Amino acid sequence: MKISLFQLFKIGIGPSSSHTIGPMLAAGSFIANLKNLSLFHQVQKIVVELYGSLALTGIGHGTDKALILGLLGEQPHLILPESIDAQVTKVRQSGQLMLNGEISIPFDPQIHIIYLRRKTLPPHPNGIIFRASTEDGIVLSEQSYFSVGGGQIAISNSDGTQLTFIEEAPEVPFAFSSGDALLRLCEEKGKTIAEIVLLNECSRNKSREEVFHYLDEIWQAMDASIERGCQQDGVLPGSLKVRRRAHAIYQSLKQKQEQHQGDPLTVLDWVNLYALAVSEENASGSKVVTAPTNGAAGIIPAVIRYYQTFIKGSDQDGIRRYLLTATAIGSLYAGNASISGAEVGCQGEVGVACSMAAAGLVAAQNGHARQIEQAAEIAMEHNLGLTCDPVAGLVQIPCIERNAMGAVKAINAARIALGGDGTHRVSLDSVIKTMKDTGNDMKRKYKETSRGGLAVNVPLC
Ligand code: SF4
């Protein structure tokens, strides 16, 4: 289990973990390196080159803003969403940037952020190069980063064939690299998946209380994004002028409730609402939790809120079990396939979130390990081949509705798994391998480039 709970679920700003959180963290890492090399105070110029998907959809996904904020010294989990526009506008208008809040350098985003749309930087489609130089043009430092999905950043080896996470999670006592190994561990140790993950997290210098505190913090941030999304009305940022829907749906559902109108499928309306609310918050650049990415941030919260509201006996422990179990499933995808839309299409974002949510929901309801593995498998099996084709490069169409569809599918997958004894034909490992192979075979235009699918078939005016 290479990826920890703390890496998989991160509080940050939307609309895209790989295109906003990753580049922002990469800027912070570059500054930290300059400081370590005692070069920081000589810097007079910074140029950022964006490659592949970051160059193609970077403007719609807010990569330019994220880079400016990262260079200003902001961090995704600490930034105040309401301060973002003012900070970015100040840099754009003045042509000056206060690097890490300490030294002022000339910076014009139109000149100093370069979009190399026809180039990629091996080995990953989301490459960034930062170059710092003196006034005379002497290069002080140059560093490549890769935003590999879910806000994780990595650097490559010298021949560009292998990636190393910047934050590599330390080894754990109950390591597993496949679904089968995880099931074996549960059987041998007599533990649930959630207990295995908890023990691993505690081995990384965290107490049980700290892990529980983080789990509760994540859920509170998710819950707050549902609440905010239900209150906000109006139009989302960007050229599409997409109208927010969550607010109106919320008002209508409340009215229905007051009038006691019986519709057996109203539960689905609520689940759709929760997912739309978070996804609209994400699209507006507000605070959400990567789960495992920002584009798919609505699914896991929507299914937790469904558990909390509609499942008898739901409690805080159930939510903790849910998130710990979802971490195990997410880490299998991150380790054996990908959670990046630019690498494997939307099956790596909405597909993985759906699989994590289905597994989490079974765990919350005290399903056993084989039922959890089955739910995770079903949820991904029916997302295989899902492409990433955001219209106008914005994380809005098809992303927002896709979260609602993913949440409903996750609940259904959990119900199918809970209705059986865990015996099933297709293993989670097989479906993860299939997802990876399908992603490799997928044409590049369907991998977060906005050059295929809905992105070219939906008129923009
Ligand atoms: S289509 Fe899916 S992978 Fe692509 S930006 Fe939207 S949510 Fe992310």
Side-chain angles (χ1 to χ4, degrees):
M1 186 185 158
K2 284 272 180 228
I3 244 186
S4 86
L5 163 78
F6 294 79
Q7 292 169 295
L8 205 55
F9 292 107
K10 287 194 297 299
I11 300 170
I13 52 161
S16 162
S17 39
S18 56
H19 286 55
T20 47
I21 297 180
M24 201 165 160
L25 290 172
S29 168
F30 183 64
I31 290 172
N33 273 349
L34 288 170
K35 290 203 161 196
N36 286 342
L37 299 168
S38 303
L39 296 169
F40 179 76
H41 288 283
Q42 297 174 50
V43 176
Q44 285 295 321
K45 182 178 172 187
I46 291 211
V47 169
V48 190
E49 291 177 355
L50 299 173
Y51 290 80
S53 167
L54 285 180
L56 286 162
T57 56
I59 292 187
H61 282 35
T63 307
D64 49 344
K65 279 189 186 179
L67 285 168
I68 293 170
L69 295 167
L71 292 171
L72 286 169
E74 289 285 4
Q75 293 179 51
H77 63 296
L78 296 177
I79 193 164
L80 295 173
E82 55 275 20
S83 75
I84 293 172
D85 284 345
Q87 294 199 67
V88 173
T89 305
K90 191 173 166 194
V91 172
R92 286 195 205 285
Q93 287 178 348
S94 67
Q96 291 287 315
L97 183 146
M98 193 59 85
L99 193 61
N100 203 37
E102 296 175 55
I103 50 169
S104 179
I105 58 166
F107 192 85
D108 179 346
Q110 303 226 29
I111 297 170
H112 297 110
I113 301 178
I114 302 170
Y115 298 83
L116 296 160
R117 295 184 174 87
R118 293 183 183 279
K119 291 189 180 173
T120 48
L121 198 63
H124 194 279
N126 281 336
I128 316 174
I129 292 181
F130 290 88
R131 196 173 297 113
S133 45
T134 62
E135 208 167 2
D136 315 328
I138 298 165
V139 175
L140 297 166
S141 175
E142 180 177 304
Q143 176 70 55
S144 321
Y145 290 91
F146 298 88
S147 183
V148 294
Q152 305 292 327
I153 49 168
I155 49 172
S156 75
N157 59 351
S158 54
D159 60 2
T161 53
Q162 257 192 337
L163 288 172
T164 310
F165 284 116
I166 294 278
E167 271 181 71
E168 193 77 57
E171 288 306 321
V172 288
F174 302 109
F176 55 88
S177 56
S178 67
D180 279 352
L182 177 58
L183 289 178
R184 270 198 311 277
L185 256 181
C186 291
E187 267 157 32
E188 279 166 24
K189 306 291 172 198
K191 304 228 173 275
T192 63
I193 293 177
E195 285 165 347
I196 294 278
V197 175
L198 179 61
L199 288 168
N200 283 342
E201 294 298 338
C202 290
S203 76
R204 291 169 169 147
N205 296 325
K206 301 271 188 241
S207 66
R208 279 173 83 88
E209 287 64 38
E210 281 171 317
V211 176
F212 287 150
H213 178 78
Y214 191 66
L215 290 167
D216 298 344
E217 197 182 328
I218 290 168
W219 168 233
Q220 277 159 20
M222 289 177 171
D223 197 39
S225 63
I226 294 177
E227 287 303 317
R228 273 198 317 274
C230 288
Q231 302 307 329
Q232 303 293 327
D233 204 359
V235 171
L236 292 170
S239 56
L240 291 177
K241 306 279 176 249
V242 169
R243 229 197 136 70
R244 283 176 178 259
R245 279 175 288 178
H247 179 67
I249 297 174
Y250 179 53
Q251 297 302 332
S252 135
L253 282 173
K254 268 199 321 187
Q255 223 172 25
K256 256 193 188 176
Q257 218 170 24
E258 281 157 18
Q259 291 165 358
H260 303 290
Q261 284 179 1
D263 171 355
L265 293 185
T266 303
V267 175
L268 287 192
D269 297 335
W270 282 102
V271 174
N272 288 333
L273 166 69
Y274 306 146
L276 294 175
V278 179
S279 300
E280 288 176 357
E281 277 300 279
N282 178 58
S284 73
S286 183
K287 221 171 219 183
V288 294
V289 180
T290 61
T293 65
N294 277 14
I299 296 171
I300 287 178
V303 178
I304 298 182
R305 189 57 106 74
Y306 158 80
Y307 162 74
Q308 194 185 43
T309 313
F310 296 103
I311 301 291
K312 221 171 154 194
S314 62
D315 58 11
Q316 189 182 27
D317 282 348
I319 296 174
R320 290 171 175 173
R321 275 197 303 282
Y322 178 118
L323 289 169
L324 289 167
T325 306
T327 300
I329 303 302
S331 80
L332 289 175
Y333 285 102
N336 297 318
S338 169
I339 56 168
S340 160
E343 218 177 349
V344 292
C346 198
Q347 37 168 16
E349 299 204 11
V350 162
V352 172
C354 184
S355 184
M356 291 165 70
L361 184 57
V362 174
Q365 293 177 86
N366 288 310
H368 59 72
R370 287 194 181 271
Q371 289 172 314
I372 291 169
E373 187 251 3
Q374 183 183 9
E377 184 283 315
I378 295 171
M380 175 53 80
E381 188 178 317
H382 306 288
N383 275 300
L384 288 174
L386 197 63
T387 58
C388 170
D389 51 358
V391 179
L394 297 164
V395 191
Q396 298 179 7
I397 301 173
C399 322
I400 296 173
E401 277 177 10
R402 193 165 281 176
N403 275 261
M405 302 306 287
V408 172
K409 199 181 277 189
I411 293 169
N412 203 21
R415 290 179 77 88
I416 294 173
L418 281 167
D421 63 2
T423 312
H424 55 288
R425 184 73 180 79
V426 183
S427 69
L428 177 59
D429 292 331
S430 312
V431 90
I432 293 177
K433 180 178 183 308
T434 308
M435 182 271 236
K436 186 181 182 192
D437 294 347
T438 308
N440 287 342
D441 291 342
M442 203 180 269
K443 283 192 174 170
R444 192 169 162 250
K445 66 181 182 178
Y446 297 117
K447 297 195 254 191
E448 215 164 355
T449 62
S450 288
R451 285 185 161 169
L454 281 177
V456 295
N457 287 312
V458 174
L460 294 182
C461 55

